[in-house]
Every structure is written in C-alpha cells, then in structure tokens.
Amino acid sequence: MRWPWRRIQTEGEREERHEQPTAQRHLRRWRRPLLIVTIIGIVISLFVLFRPVDPRFVIVVAPFSDQDGRTGQQIAGALARQLRINGDNLVQVIESRTRPTNSAEALTLAQQTNADIVVWGSVEAGGILDSPSLRPELIYLPHNIDVSQSWYTFAIRFAIPYHFVLSSAPINGQTTLVPYLLALAAYHHGEADLAIERLQQLLEINPQVSPLLPHILRGNLLWARGWYSAAATEYRAALSVANGDQALLTNNLGAILFDAQDPEALRLFAEAIDLLDGRDLGQLRVNLALWALREQRAGDAVSDLEQARNLLPPHPELELLLSTAYRENGQLDKAADASLGLKRRKPRSWRARR
C-alpha cells in the first residue's frame, strides 16, 4: 500500500535587496539581519516546541508467542520487512526483542519506544506470515502525526481505548495484518477516507477481524465533520462488540449526542460514571463541565474542569475552557491566570485515560 504524496522540503526565502541612500544604508545596516535572525529564532523555537517526535508512524513489532521459541521471532521479522517494503517512508518499523505476555507489558513497551502501535500476539505451530496462523493484538497510542489534532476539543473530550484484540480466529499476516496496520498509518497521515475504505474492505474479506477499532475511527471522523447521527451509529456498533472499555466508549457517545443537542447525552454520562466504578476520567469531566455551562452552572463547570486539569495532559483548549468557566463564575483573576496558561502549556497527543 503506497500513498501518492511525499514530504518536500520548502526552499528558503530569498532576501530582496533594495538600493537605499548611503546615510539610510548606514543607519539600517544591522536592522534587517537582526530581524531575520530574530524571526528564524522564533520559527525554530516554535518548531522544536510543537513538532512531533518523529514525522513517521512508529510501529513496534514484538515477537509472537509460539510453541518452539523460534517461529514467533521469525514471524515478527517477516512482518517488519513487509511493513518497511509497503509502508515506504511514512512508517518507522522497530523490531523488539521483548515478547509481551499481556497488554500491560505491551503498553510499557509502547511507552518506552514512543510507539504509535505495538503489535504482538500468538502464532500457531508451523505458521508463517503468509498463512492464516496469527492472532495479533495491538497497543494503539497514535501521537506523532494525528489527524485528530486539528479537531477542536477532541483531545480533551474523547477517551480512546488502547488495547485491541484484532481477530476472533487466526488471520493471514501478509494479506490482512500488513494492510490493516498501513491503513492505520494512512489515517494518521491525513488520509482518513482512504484508510476507512481500506479497513472496511479488509473487514468484508475477513469477517473474523474485529470491527471495533474501525467503528471508533469512523465514528470520530463523522463527528469531526458534524455528522452526529452517523457518528453515534458507529459508536453504538462499537459498544455492541466491545469486551471492555465500555466507560470510555459510552463517554464518547455521550459527547457526540451532546453536540447533537440530544438529551440522551446526560443519561450516557451518568452511565459512564457507573461503569467507571469509582475511577475518574478527565474527558468525562470536561463533557460534564460543558453540560454545566450550557445550563449556566458555572460553579459546577469550574469544579469539573479543575479535576480534568489534574487528570489530562496540559492542553490549550482545556485552559481556554477553564478560563471561560472562571469568567462566567465571576472568578476574573483565575480566568486571567488560565488565559496566561495558554501561553505556557504545550498540547500533547490524545491518549486513553482511565
């Protein structure tokens, strides 16, 4: 699977030369160079501050569990080679020697390697990549180049699960797993429609592949485009096939219905609270704060947003919302402080938060 674009470095701007009288040229001799240096310094600082850690989609391939101690490593090597061949320069593939035995160990590996995806799982005896012998699992923490970064409030309102069991039966790694992973890379390189179409094709050809993650991605995309009814349909479908993370998905469905001004949203937020069973969720706090602001309960909104600030990574949209809540609650000093926080806080990628 290849995509038709390439990253092309932009040429530096050429300096224009203007003839000036000798006196003016003497007085302004250093103004232009100093201005250029200052602008370059600002641009470099902003680039360093906000650029992704790596522009490519990072996929870590871990050895699969096997019965002979060799097949799983061979499968991982073959998978990594296929991803490099077909992913072109848009994915970075890392082969790990660590063999996760559960999702917690795989999550640790993802965090240590700064990966967007960790793929691991098990392989049947005698299996090869190009045979229906793999039972893959994913840790999914997209953060380098993420289409969702331009979606207003997505990062602070939607909680995305990170562990996915890809299939209910063994699948072919070469014809199913490789294009599945590259479709996820395309999604987060801005080719969301292409990726969703490819994932749907894979689901139709391979009914044993779980539709959970495609439902979530399609629902997020539809929400971002303002198609709330269709987005809610996707999330209801996701909830129907999810074995866990019901609280996260219920919160997200509530957020979609809130934007659609559907009163069922409040019931879903209450259901998410019950499903959390005493745990807290920053994204749910933000959604409850928005509901409170809609009902002109600024004090409740402030309380929820202050809790969300403790639970979520720093994000300018959260500071802006908190500043609004402070202002509507008459706390003008705190509103000003939160506005100043917009300049100090660096936005981070969205992750699942429990």
Side-chain angles (χ1 to χ4, degrees), residues 12 17 44 83 128 186 200 220 348 353:
R17 300 182 180 274
I44 291 174
L83 289 171
I128 60 174
Q200 183 59 39
N220 296 342
R348 298 181 186 175
R353 299 285 171 183

Side-chain angles (χ1 to χ4, degrees), residues 337-350:
D337 290 341
S339 296
L340 289 174
L342 290 171
K343 301 178 181 179
R344 297 192 300 266
R345 291 176 180 267
K346 174 185 175 182
R348 298 181 186 175
S349 61
W350 54 271

Side-chain angles (χ1 to χ4, degrees), residues 111-137:
Q111 294 168 339
Q112 291 173 343
T113 56
N114 199 34
D116 297 286
I117 287 179
V118 170
V119 56
W120 88 104
S122 62
V123 58
E124 295 185 342
I128 60 174
L129 184 67
D130 193 12
S131 71
S133 58
L134 273 61
R135 293 179 178 268
E137 299 183 41

Side-chain angles (χ1 to χ4, degrees), residues 215-233:
H215 280 313
I216 292 172
L217 296 180
R218 190 183 296 112
N220 296 342
L221 184 62
L222 292 168
W223 166 83
R225 293 175 175 174
W227 299 340
Y228 300 132
S229 178
T233 297

Side-chain angles (χ1 to χ4, degrees), residues 64-80:
F64 284 68
S65 299
D66 54 29
Q67 298 178 4
D68 58 16
R70 299 186 305 274
T71 303
Q73 186 68 57
Q74 294 169 354
I75 290 287
L79 175 59

Side-chain angles (χ1 to χ4, degrees), residues 6-285:
R6 294 290 186 277
R7 286 187 173 75
I8 302 176
Q9 295 182 351
T10 59
E11 297 181 358
E13 297 181 356
R14 297 180 178 177
E15 297 182 7
E16 298 180 357
R17 300 182 180 274
H18 300 281
E19 293 185 358
Q20 296 179 346
T22 304
Q24 290 181 351
R25 193 182 311 136
H26 178 72
L27 291 172
R28 298 179 181 178
R29 180 178 179 182
W30 296 104
R31 289 184 182 179
R32 185 180 182 86
L34 287 174
L35 178 60
I36 291 174
V37 170
T38 302
I39 292 174
I40 292 174
I42 293 173
V43 170
I44 291 174
S45 298
L46 290 174
F47 178 77
V48 171
L49 181 63
F50 291 104
R51 72 180 176 89
V53 175
D54 190 298
R56 294 166 294 178
F57 195 74
V58 180
I59 303 176
V60 172
V61 181
F64 284 68
S65 299
D66 54 29
Q67 298 178 4
D68 58 16
R70 299 186 305 274
T71 303
Q73 186 68 57
Q74 294 169 354
I75 290 287
L79 175 59
R81 286 191 295 273
Q82 287 298 314
L83 289 171
R84 291 190 183 104
I85 292 170
N86 293 281
D88 202 24
N89 65 331
L90 297 177
V91 296
Q92 177 185 4
V93 182
I94 300 174
E95 295 182 62
S96 173
R97 294 183 177 276
T98 302
R99 191 191 304 263
T101 59
N102 53 52
S103 61
E105 292 180 2
L107 176 61
T108 299
L109 178 60
Q111 294 168 339
Q112 291 173 343
T113 56
N114 199 34
D116 297 286
I117 287 179
V118 170
V119 56
W120 88 104
S122 62
V123 58
E124 295 185 342
I128 60 174
L129 184 67
D130 193 12
S131 71
S133 58
L134 273 61
R135 293 179 178 268
E137 299 183 41
L138 298 183
I139 293 295
Y140 183 60
L141 296 174
H143 60 284
N144 282 346
I145 296 180
D146 187 348
V147 67
S148 67
Q149 288 179 357
S150 62
W151 297 346
Y152 182 65
T153 73
F154 178 85
I156 61 174
R157 297 178 59 203
F158 283 69
I160 308 301
Y162 61 79
H163 177 218
F164 295 89
V165 177
L166 239 56
S167 64
S168 58
I171 62 173
N172 186 302
Q174 186 160 314
T175 62
T176 304
L177 181 56
V178 169
Y180 187 101
L181 295 173
L182 294 180
L184 295 181
Y187 186 93
H188 292 285
H189 275 287
E191 293 290 339
D193 291 302
L194 171 66
I196 293 296
E197 179 182 356
R198 185 62 177 129
L199 289 171
Q200 183 59 39
Q201 292 171 351
L202 290 171
L203 291 175
E204 292 172 358
I205 298 171
N206 305 277
Q208 70 272 37
V209 173
S210 169
L212 176 58
L213 183 52
H215 280 313
I216 292 172
L217 296 180
R218 190 183 296 112
N220 296 342
L221 184 62
L222 292 168
W223 166 83
R225 293 175 175 174
W227 299 340
Y228 300 132
S229 178
T233 297
E234 293 295 336
Y235 260 94
R236 289 190 177 98
L239 279 164
S240 70
V241 297
N243 292 322
D245 296 313
Q246 300 284 336
L248 308 187
L249 300 177
T250 300
N251 166 78
N252 298 353
L253 178 57
I256 292 168
L257 295 183
F258 174 86
D259 290 346
Q261 299 189 3
D262 188 326
E264 187 185 359
L266 186 59
R267 181 192 66 79
L268 288 166
F269 292 149
E271 182 178 338
I273 292 172
D274 290 339
L275 290 168
L276 286 168
D277 193 24
R279 294 171 294 159
D280 212 339
L281 185 67
Q283 292 90 339
L284 178 56
R285 290 279 189 175

